[in-house]
Amino acid sequence: MPPSTEPLRVERQVTIVEVGPRDGLQNEKHLVSTGLKLRLIRMLADCGFARIEATAFVSPKWVPQMADHDAVMRGAVRRAGLVLSALVPNEQGAQAAITAGAQELAVFTSASETFSRRNTNCTIEEGLARFVPVIALAAEHALPVRGYVSCAVDCPYEGPIEPGAAAKVVARLRDLGCAEIAVADTIGMATPERVHAMVLACLAEAEATQLAGHFHDTGGMALANVDAAWSLGLRVFDSAAGGLGGCPYAPGAAGNLRSGALVEHFASRGIATGIDSELLANVENMLADPVFLGKR
């Protein structure tokens, strides 16, 4: 009997989390209609994305683009194998997201104290304390919680972040009960060497299967940074169709890693994503048209 190929098959698979509808659109200056958001989510699901971050249950005062979060979550396409997540800042947001039908919650903190204060108006410790009831509520409803660690490599205010600082926050999110923790290069200026060091530090606190990579492409190094994280065992990565996005609280941060580029990158290496690249190209072409997002 020939040796089993199962380990190889698993090794050559990756999960891409599509964050365009939330992290991508949140920074758009022109308000995108609810109808267009729902259309985008449906098209992304048709491409084969099994995990889509649909919206954020945050205050419209701070993120006007997400003001229609309830309508988006309630109206988003539902199908077997598709998980729709929502970013939530606190217990109130979590309850609203669950009521609207979110299938996964995401909470966000930072490896930078300054960024935490600028982004959430609280310290890292105060932010983590807010997650305790969120995670308890999610557990009551048997929903997984993803934790984001912003500025895991660089901060727009503090500069380079020590790998140990990111690892410390990963450990806290692990202990709180996050099923997955995404380490983020929020301003997109990381290098593979520094990503390697950061991920290696985080692996001292969490298994590779618990970690995900979220890399912006400001410096044009996102794919190389993905490779650095892949080499250490990470198999979940975020991207946004059309490279949409940025962060309203991170000056100089450009868009997310483009989903089409990430899919093509993995395909060239024989790594399965489950995404239809032709359908995705159609979506990205539509997003490139200013009319689609209501810019003119």
Side-chain angles (χ1 to χ4, degrees):
M1 178 181 293
S4 172
T5 59
E6 183 65 16
L8 177 62
R9 185 184 71 81
V10 173
E11 172 69 14
R12 307 306 290 178
Q13 289 183 334
V14 67
T15 298
I16 298 179
V17 180
E18 172 57 55
V19 300
R22 195 283 297 178
D23 194 33
L25 292 181
Q26 72 174 6
N27 210 35
E28 289 292 315
K29 293 181 174 59
H30 298 80
L31 289 179
V32 179
S33 72
T34 302
L36 285 179
K37 291 175 182 176
L38 293 176
R39 181 183 177 191
L40 175 59
I41 292 170
R42 183 178 68 252
M43 293 174 71
L44 292 169
D46 290 343
C47 290
F49 288 101
R51 296 176 63 184
I52 300 175
E53 195 171 69
T55 188
F57 282 73
V58 295
S59 170
K61 175 182 177 182
W62 301 114
V63 189
Q65 191 67 254
M66 298 289 108
D68 59 351
H69 45 239
D70 188 77
V72 168
M73 185 55 72
R74 291 180 185 276
V77 63
R78 307 283 169 155
R79 60 185 59 166
L82 173 63
V83 175
L84 298 175
S85 67
L87 192 75
V88 300
N90 50 37
E91 184 179 11
Q92 180 180 358
Q95 182 61 70
I98 292 171
T99 301
Q103 296 161 310
E104 179 185 62
L105 302 183
V107 294
F108 54 98
T109 183
S110 175
S112 159
E113 282 290 356
T114 305
F115 189 82
S116 179
R117 291 178 184 275
R118 296 288 187 97
N119 192 22
T120 61
N121 197 33
C122 67
T123 66
I124 294 173
E125 284 299 322
E126 289 168 342
L128 291 169
R130 293 176 183 174
F131 302 159
V132 174
V134 170
I135 294 171
L137 185 62
E140 290 178 18
H141 294 269
L143 298 181
V145 177
R146 176 188 236 212
Y148 280 104
V149 183
S150 298
C151 299
V153 187
D154 290 285
C155 171
Y157 309 106
E158 296 183 10
I161 297 297
E162 287 296 320
K168 179 180 178 181
V169 178
V170 165
R172 294 297 307 280
L173 290 171
R174 175 206 64 203
D175 291 344
L176 286 174
C178 287
E180 183 176 84
I181 303 163
V183 288
D185 176 26
T186 306
I187 62 174
M189 298 305 293
T191 63
E193 294 76 19
R194 297 180 62 227
V195 167
H196 187 279
M198 179 272 292
V199 173
L200 197 61
C202 293
L203 286 171
E205 302 294 348
E207 298 294 330
T209 52
Q210 295 176 284
L211 297 176
H214 182 109
F215 301 108
H216 286 221
D217 206 25
T218 314
M221 298 296 289
L223 290 175
N225 291 334
V226 165
D227 287 343
W230 172 276
S231 73
L232 291 172
L234 271 63
R235 297 294 181 264
V236 180
F237 297 93
D238 298 356
S239 63
L244 289 171
C247 177
Y249 298 97
N256 287 285
L257 172 57
R258 182 172 64 85
S259 294
L262 186 59
V263 169
E264 293 165 8
H265 181 69
F266 279 125
S268 71
R269 299 176 58 194
I271 298 170
T273 64
I275 308 302
D276 187 315
S277 58
E278 291 187 10
L279 288 180
L280 179 56
N282 292 336
V283 174
E284 296 195 319
N285 287 337
M286 292 185 69
L287 289 171
D289 183 350
V291 174
F292 183 80
L293 294 181
K295 294 181 180 180
R296 72 164 189 243

